[in-house]
Amino acid sequence: MFSKLSIVTASVLLTLAAAIPNTTPPVTPPTSNQCCNSVVSSSSSAASAVAALLGLDLTGLNVPVGLSCSPITVVGNNCGGTSVTCDSPNTEWGNLIAINCLPITL
């Protein structure tokens, strides 16, 4: 039962990823403070998988990428993840990914 469900889920995600045209996101100076569950290389398999779901092509980019990020809006906010400053258009990428993430140093 669960194996059939995982196969169906995987095929649906692959179909959606194939239907969305891949675009290379612009790398701009980071301007948005984010709390990310993890920060990985743009060439990692995790970053590539999330980017594919969003129709982003990270090929050739060599920048840190934040995964599962949310904006830090309150001073003193306890992030619980990794606090970074990124380029993150939340309305387009739904807090799933952020590009060019640099650590916030206090």
Side-chain angles (χ1 to χ4, degrees), residues 21-102:
N22 286 341
T23 58
T24 301
V27 177
T28 59
T31 58
S32 176
N33 291 340
Q34 298 284 317
C35 178
C36 301
N37 283 350
S38 63
V39 177
V40 298
S41 168
S42 55
S43 61
S44 75
S45 59
S48 297
V50 173
L53 289 174
L54 296 171
L56 300 174
D57 181 8
L58 302 180
T59 305
L61 294 182
N62 188 20
V63 295
V65 173
L67 302 176
S68 296
C69 301
S70 59
I72 297 174
T73 56
V74 178
V75 176
N77 185 11
N78 184 5
C79 174
T82 303
S83 297
V84 289
T85 300
C86 305
D87 174 24
S88 178
N90 297 323
T91 56
E92 294 173 31
W93 299 342
N95 294 330
L96 294 175
I97 194 169
I99 305 295
N100 199 22
C101 295
L102 304 174

